Amino acid sequence: MARESMQYDVVVVGGGPAGLAAAIRLKQRAPGRYVCVLEKGSEIGAHILSGAVMDPRALSELIPDWKEKGAPLNTPVSRDRFLFLTQRGKFEIPSFALPACFKNHGNYVVSLGNVCRWLGQQAEALGVEIFPGFAAAEVLFERNLVKGVATGDLGINRKGEKTEAYQPGMELHGKYTFFAEGCRGHLGRQLEERLSLRKTPQVYGIGLKELWEVKPERHQPGLVIHTAGWPLDAGTYGGSFLYHMEERLVAVGFVVGLGYSNPYLSPYEEFQRFKTHPAIRPFFEGGKRVCYGARAITSGGLQSLPKLVFPGGALLGDEAGFLNASRIKGSHCAIKSAMLAADAAHEALAAGRAGDELTAYPEAFRSSWLYEELHRARNFKPWMSKGLYAGTLMFGIDQVLLRGKAPWTLHHKGGDHQQTRPAAEFSPISYPKPDGVLTFDRLSSVFISNTNHSEDQPVHLTLKDPSKAIYNLERYAGPEQRYCPAGVYEFVDLDSKPRLQINAQNCVHCKTCDIKDPLQNIVWVAPEGGGGPNYTNM
């Protein structure tokens, strides 16, 4: 069956903060414009995972009366704490000595998923067409001009055969197509490769998060805690957050930079171990864990941004890498970048142009407060990659003494997958067994992420060369078993003929495997729309 097509002025791929902000801005500028948003999750917000402490600056520019319209920014930050942890102790930085990037006065503790659900409502009220449950699976080209995207076919079984339920995907053609898939979007990756958009490597972290309902006496609405140090060694970049939300909810999370070298390290187990620290455990005693999720995040900053525009389209938000790692914030960056891209598209369409490069977008970015913010923080991740203590000292000098205006810009040493060292150089790490009360195994965690995929569909975690998986086992001790936070990868038949088993139904769409695989052999592609996690209040 031939694919049907629909025509729009602008097609937006991704229903996160960037995609929804772009759609809203386009309709604000021209109410009669035809704009649609494709979202692979079962609903807007289903796949959204973030800390999150939200800076409302960009939202106030997009929707100045967001408070009157009921935006779910209900818990202002009441206090900031930053702890350096040792195995049994802690050192707290006095509030007056905190760098500005760790001060959150005027910000809000939020569920970013709920913020996106609200943004979706605002977009629909303006006439934006939103299609949840439809995954954009293919970029449509005319030579190197992007003319839209196609959704994935439905009714394909695990063997790649068409079933009785087969339905071909739909083509959505746009005069411009915005890609806002979030970190390591699979279409964005294809665009970067085909159109040579990337000149410098992006670097990433994996963020793992749990949502807890805590006892009333443990709850301090608006309290924000960040930590560094234990359980990670001083040479591994990472840290934690605890954000006290409304209704006795506390978001706890752990971020590990994916440039770590030890293949035995498990970000998931480090997160579970972190919760046992004497300064952290009391918050959760007597509480109940209600949700879990994981997501890769970009952290390369200004010097890792790709070319933002190409004929017929643009990269927005975390798809491009608009995240301030020093502030652990990206939603305001995503919204602002989307507004700049939308304004550029509006001006082009108003002038009767279509399909050209929206050069006004990167030009506007370079003269915006977003550029200034990212420029000020540009050396954070390069400094921190040199180790916790040296990095903290040098970034403190960069921010406090030089105020982010150092006459140099440091660069990253390469892609995260290139930093993994052979297992023979390390000893296995012995992690404690989960107790089922404070610490948990992967499968019980995946269960409360409400992750679901139809088992009779093509595996969306693909291998360029299946034989290379065994090379990973022999040289790197099979690191995919440890860097995946959802138990997707499992080496079986070790005593006879080892093979890699891929439990794709567990996948929470974090994209870590696509990033960290030492051989870049794993490629994440979109499963059927509506699959994956269904996060609540995350």
Side-chain angles (χ1 to χ4, degrees), residues 432-447:
K433 292 183 178 180
D435 60 21
V437 178
L438 178 64
T439 60
F440 304 88
D441 62 24
R442 282 175 170 81
L443 294 185
S444 65
S445 297
V446 172
F447 178 78

Side-chain angles (χ1 to χ4, degrees), residues 261-392:
S261 58
N262 185 350
Y264 288 114
L265 187 145
S266 167
Y268 179 87
E269 267 81 18
E270 297 291 347
F271 176 33
Q272 298 305 308
R273 187 160 61 161
F274 156 75
K275 291 183 293 177
T276 67
H277 192 276
I280 304 302
R281 176 190 290 270
F283 285 108
F284 305 108
E285 290 177 342
K288 178 184 178 183
R289 190 177 70 145
V290 295
C291 199
Y292 163 83
R295 189 71 172 93
I297 54 178
T298 57
S299 54
L302 188 66
Q303 56 269 57
S304 289
L305 292 179
K307 184 180 180 183
L308 300 176
V309 294
F310 40 86
L315 304 177
L316 280 57
D318 213 20
E319 178 95 78
F322 286 111
L323 182 138
N324 186 337
S326 72
R327 297 185 68 195
I328 324 176
K329 290 179 179 61
S331 57
H332 70 295
C333 304
I335 292 172
K336 181 61 175 178
S337 70
M339 294 172 66
L340 297 173
D343 286 344
H346 165 74
E347 297 298 335
L349 292 170
R353 305 197 320 271
D356 59 351
E357 285 197 8
L358 295 172
T359 55
Y361 167 33
E363 290 170 358
F365 163 62
R366 283 190 290 271
S367 61
S368 70
W369 58 257
L370 177 57
Y371 179 90
E372 293 178 4
E373 179 178 321
L374 295 180
H375 186 266
R376 190 163 56 246
R378 69 195 183 283
N379 289 326
F380 171 76
K381 188 64 189 295
W383 278 132
M384 296 308 297
S385 69
K386 300 183 183 300
L388 175 62
Y389 302 114
T392 300

Side-chain angles (χ1 to χ4, degrees), residues 122-201:
Q122 308 311 303
E124 287 185 316
L126 292 170
V128 175
E129 295 184 33
I130 298 179
F131 302 115
F134 288 88
E138 177 187 352
V139 182
L140 302 176
F141 289 97
E142 286 183 357
R143 298 185 179 85
N144 281 335
L145 168 67
V146 173
K147 68 173 187 178
V149 295
T151 62
D153 294 344
L154 301 177
I156 304 292
N157 67 21
R158 199 174 183 88
K159 297 178 181 179
E161 303 166 337
K162 297 177 181 179
T163 68
E164 294 181 356
Y166 173 75
Q167 295 181 29
M170 173 78 71
E171 293 191 0
L172 295 103
H173 298 170
K175 298 173 183 175
Y176 293 101
T177 304
F178 287 169
F179 294 86
E181 304 169 280
C183 174
R184 194 69 165 195
H186 80 291
L187 297 185
R189 176 180 176 174
Q190 295 173 32
L191 288 164
E192 287 185 6
E193 293 174 355
R194 173 164 176 164
L195 303 179
S196 301
L197 303 180
R198 178 162 297 286
K199 303 301 182 185
T200 56

